[in-house]
Amino acid sequence: MKIERFAQNNSGTTRRGFLKLVAVSGAGLAIGIAPEGTRAASTASAEVSQHVANAFVRIGSDDTVTVVIKHLEMGQGAYTGLSTLVAEELDADWSQVVAESAPADAGKYKNLLFGMQGTGGSTAIANSFMQMRQAGAAARAMLVAAAAERWSVPADEISVSEGVISHASGKSARFGELAEAATAQSVPEADALPLKDPKDFKLIGQIIPRKDVGKTDGTAIYTQDVQLPGMLTAVVAHAPRFGATVQSVDDKAALALKGVQHVIAMPNFVAVLAADFWTAKKGRDLLQIEWDQSKASRATSSELEREYTELVSTSGLVARSEGDVTAALESADQVLDATYSFPYLAHATMEPINCVVHVREDGVDVWNGDQMQTIDQGAVAQVCGVDPSTVT
């Protein structure tokens, strides 16, 4: 875990001001489709970042189509799958599509099946299939309307293919050339948007290059790559067993190490804070900690296996009953009987768990891999004593 302790840098530029500057300098199109089917406003890009609800599509003057993904990419393909839905209805060229993680904002990016922003239960495509297709179709309709107005031709005579908008007269334009003009067009109602017949799909259902390949070619930016002015790194000494607590800490040697600034003891861990990871790690290794393991879990793998084996022979809670298994087994020509045992498998990430937290005077910025943004946003707000809406 890394902790940024300073509310702002010395540049005098606020975070909000920086975001406005970025929005103004990057002329393009940003639109959204509200999940409830409400009408979204269409404004100049300098205002869109502040006022457009559920913005899933941004088109830049450089032809880049940025798809804002509300679900966490954990290797399951959310970046690729959800981008495909937008690109299909937008008729974008797959090479111009870029996936970007959505910020924590349940009002705009909630999981329609959860009622809050989060990823799990194989719900990413299930709750976003129509929503993302409508976002792509709306962007396409606005680009076509802009082209029709500029060329003085009927919109229904215009075609779109692989990022190019064209007319039989020979007129054509790429998305980026019409992106700014498209912001002047009204956003179509979600229910009125014509969507493709599945037989016309070019991307959906096909094997196409993934949009999260940065994990394998070195271009991905991870939380551990984030560096802020004055940032401290915290390395944690965890309890040796679940349920164990800190009884006492001798931190003299750790604090004597050059670069170590703080040692913080919590009920079930001790953190050493320094200006860099290696110093914090060496300080953590110098801690002398006595753990109270009187209430810690001490079950061994063999004990757990024996317990679960006994539970198999007991009656469980019936979630669904269909057919007659006993009768089917008794009448079967051949019955296969096998037992499969697996060791404890941690539901955990491959990379070290870490985050960057910047506590400002008017809110908190957090960089981390987040499966349930709404829950963590609320937890951070509670710890820092701020309103969840100020946690970014």
Side-chain angles (χ1 to χ4, degrees):
M1 179 175 66
K2 302 177 180 179
I3 302 176
E4 159 63 14
R5 297 176 55 81
F6 295 88
Q8 60 183 15
N9 59 30
N10 297 321
S11 69
T13 301
T14 65
R15 172 181 164 276
R16 186 167 288 107
F18 173 75
L19 291 178
K20 288 182 179 179
L21 177 64
V22 172
V24 170
S25 62
L29 163 69
I31 69 159
I33 296 295
E36 296 80 13
T38 56
R39 187 178 180 84
S42 174
T43 59
S45 60
E47 300 175 354
V48 162
S49 62
Q50 300 174 45
H51 301 298
V52 172
N54 294 283
F56 295 107
V57 184
R58 295 201 311 269
I59 300 177
S61 55
D62 62 351
D63 285 340
T64 298
V65 176
T66 300
V67 181
V68 181
I69 308 296
K70 67 179 184 176
H71 294 283
L72 181 66
E73 173 61 78
M74 295 180 284
Q76 83 280 31
Y79 274 13
T80 304
L82 297 179
S83 295
T84 299
L85 301 177
V86 169
E88 182 69 74
E89 296 294 345
L90 182 58
D91 280 310
D93 185 86
W94 187 241
S95 64
Q96 71 186 120
V97 177
V98 175
E100 178 182 293
S101 179
D105 188 337
K108 295 179 181 179
Y109 300 111
K110 68 183 178 184
N111 184 316
L112 304 183
L113 301 179
F114 291 177
M116 65 177 183
Q117 192 174 358
T119 306
S122 299
T123 60
I125 295 295
N127 89 99
S128 303
F129 187 73
M130 293 302 296
Q131 187 181 42
M132 300 302 280
R133 289 180 63 193
Q134 288 172 342
R140 183 186 191 279
M142 294 169 70
L143 288 166
V144 167
E149 185 176 280
R150 176 173 296 183
W151 300 335
S152 299
V153 299
D156 58 9
E157 293 182 3
I158 293 175
S159 61
V160 184
S161 178
E162 297 181 347
V164 178
I165 305 161
S166 58
H167 184 258
S169 63
K171 294 182 174 67
S172 68
R174 299 196 61 81
F175 285 177
E177 298 174 64
L178 291 167
E180 188 172 2
T183 61
Q185 305 298 320
S186 60
V187 180
E189 295 288 349
D191 294 339
L193 288 168
L195 299 179
K196 287 185 178 180
D197 187 298
K199 66 180 178 57
D200 297 323
F201 287 163
K202 298 178 180 178
L203 296 174
I204 295 176
Q206 302 301 311
I207 298 176
I208 52 181
R210 290 179 60 126
K211 291 302 179 183
D212 58 336
V213 294
K215 294 181 293 188
T216 58
D217 66 11
T219 59
I221 301 300
Y222 293 90
T223 306
Q224 288 179 318
D225 297 319
V226 176
Q227 296 294 324
L228 302 176
M231 186 172 74
L232 298 181
T233 299
V235 175
V236 176
H238 293 282
R241 295 178 183 273
F242 290 115
T245 57
V246 177
Q247 183 169 303
S248 65
V249 182
D250 183 346
D251 58 7
K252 296 184 183 63
L255 288 171
L257 182 66
K258 183 179 179 181
V260 171
Q261 298 193 26
H262 304 280
V263 174
I264 300 176
M266 299 298 286
N268 61 339
F269 69 86
V270 181
V272 175
L273 281 71
D276 59 86
F277 168 80
W278 187 242
T279 301
K281 191 265 183 192
K282 289 194 293 184
R284 191 272 309 272
D285 294 344
L286 291 172
L287 293 174
Q288 298 295 317
I289 307 173
E290 292 291 334
W291 299 96
D292 180 357
Q293 301 189 47
S294 59
K295 297 181 180 180
S297 173
R298 293 181 175 276
T300 64
S301 295
S302 58
E303 290 172 339
L304 291 173
E305 184 177 7
R306 184 164 56 252
E307 178 184 353
Y308 294 151
T309 300
E310 292 173 354
L311 288 171
V312 168
S313 62
T314 63
S315 298
L317 180 65
V318 177
R320 176 178 176 180
S321 180
E322 182 177 334
D324 190 336
V325 175
T326 302
L329 290 173
E330 290 177 348
S331 61
D333 294 331
Q334 183 180 15
V335 175
L336 301 179
D337 191 335
T339 300
Y340 297 89
S341 296
F342 296 90
Y344 174 82
L345 300 176
H347 187 101
T349 60
M350 295 174 65
E351 76 278 6
I353 300 295
N354 65 99
C355 69
V356 174
V357 179
H358 180 185
V359 181
R360 299 177 280 105
E361 291 182 359
D362 58 346
V364 185
D365 292 330
V366 182
W367 291 259
N368 70 315
D370 206 321
Q371 189 170 348
M372 294 292 173
Q373 293 95 324
T374 303
I375 293 176
D376 289 347
Q377 188 177 33
V380 170
Q382 184 176 20
V383 169
C384 296
V386 298
D387 188 272
S389 64
T390 68
V391 179
T392 301

